[in-house]
Amino acid sequence: MTEFDPVPDREAVDDVRQRWRETTDTFDRVYDSALGVTEPTAYTEIAATADCSPNAAKKHLDRLAEMGIVRADQDAQPARYERNDGYLEWQEASQLAEEHTVEEIIDRVGTLEDRCEEYADEFETTDPSSISAFDHDDHDEIHTVMVRLSDWHALERDIRLYELARQIAQNDGHLVPTSP
């Protein structure tokens, strides 16, 4: 193993986890752990990651569900939770709305839309999901198309975020105008 080996040293990982446990309270550890959950996961597994009791994890996860940060499936046994990507997108769009003027946001959307049009011209479609990178025979071509499609999907996500940010900025933090 060289000093440039990407495999982390187990001792270093354990040290980071130990510092995280010592400097973060239970709620924050459950919150951090829940944000890493991309599919319904038993609260007992989240508790193990957060290094807390299952009861404490469930209590905090239920609170996070009430706040809209995670989604809960209480009917599952044991109850399962996953992060709410819609909440995270709202947070990101709100941050963009705070950091940029409406004009800056509109300009950014225009630039992003121009880049999407370039991809649409290149692939002769407006729907990146309709393209399969595996329609090519050469490994390098497959890789190139996969990267380009990934970039195109990222552009579409950014357009959604900036459009949401524009709505938030134009309506004092709301999606729709408030009544006068």
Side-chain angles (χ1 to χ4, degrees), residues 11 23 50 55 71 76 80 89 95 97 108 113 115-116 153-155 160 166-167 176:
E11 190 174 309
T23 60
N55 287 343
R71 287 191 295 259
R80 297 181 174 281
E89 282 192 8
Q95 186 70 36
R108 180 68 178 147
E113 287 175 339
R115 290 179 55 201
C116 278
H153 283 289
L155 283 171
R160 276 194 327 273
R166 180 191 55 77
Q167 290 175 313
V176 294

Side-chain angles (χ1 to χ4, degrees), residues 94-114:
S94 295
Q95 186 70 36
L96 289 170
E98 286 179 21
E99 294 173 352
H100 302 283
T101 66
V102 173
E103 293 76 25
E104 290 171 334
I105 292 170
I106 290 170
D107 287 345
R108 180 68 178 147
V109 169
T111 300
L112 295 170
E113 287 175 339
D114 289 345

Side-chain angles (χ1 to χ4, degrees), residues 39-114:
E39 60 187 36
T41 303
Y43 73 92
T44 52
E45 290 179 47
I46 296 170
T49 302
D51 194 35
C52 67
S53 73
N55 287 343
K58 182 150 183 5
K59 176 182 95 172
H60 294 309
L61 288 164
D62 288 341
R63 181 173 164 209
L64 291 168
E66 288 173 12
M67 296 166 71
I69 297 169
V70 300
R71 287 191 295 259
D73 179 358
Q74 298 288 354
D75 295 332
Q77 291 298 321
R80 297 181 174 281
Y81 300 82
E82 66 183 309
R83 75 172 179 233
N84 180 355
D85 288 332
Y87 171 82
L88 297 175
E89 282 192 8
W90 175 265
Q91 290 295 95
E92 193 171 347
S94 295
Q95 186 70 36
L96 289 170
E98 286 179 21
E99 294 173 352
H100 302 283
T101 66
V102 173
E103 293 76 25
E104 290 171 334
I105 292 170
I106 290 170
D107 287 345
R108 180 68 178 147
V109 169
T111 300
L112 295 170
E113 287 175 339
D114 289 345

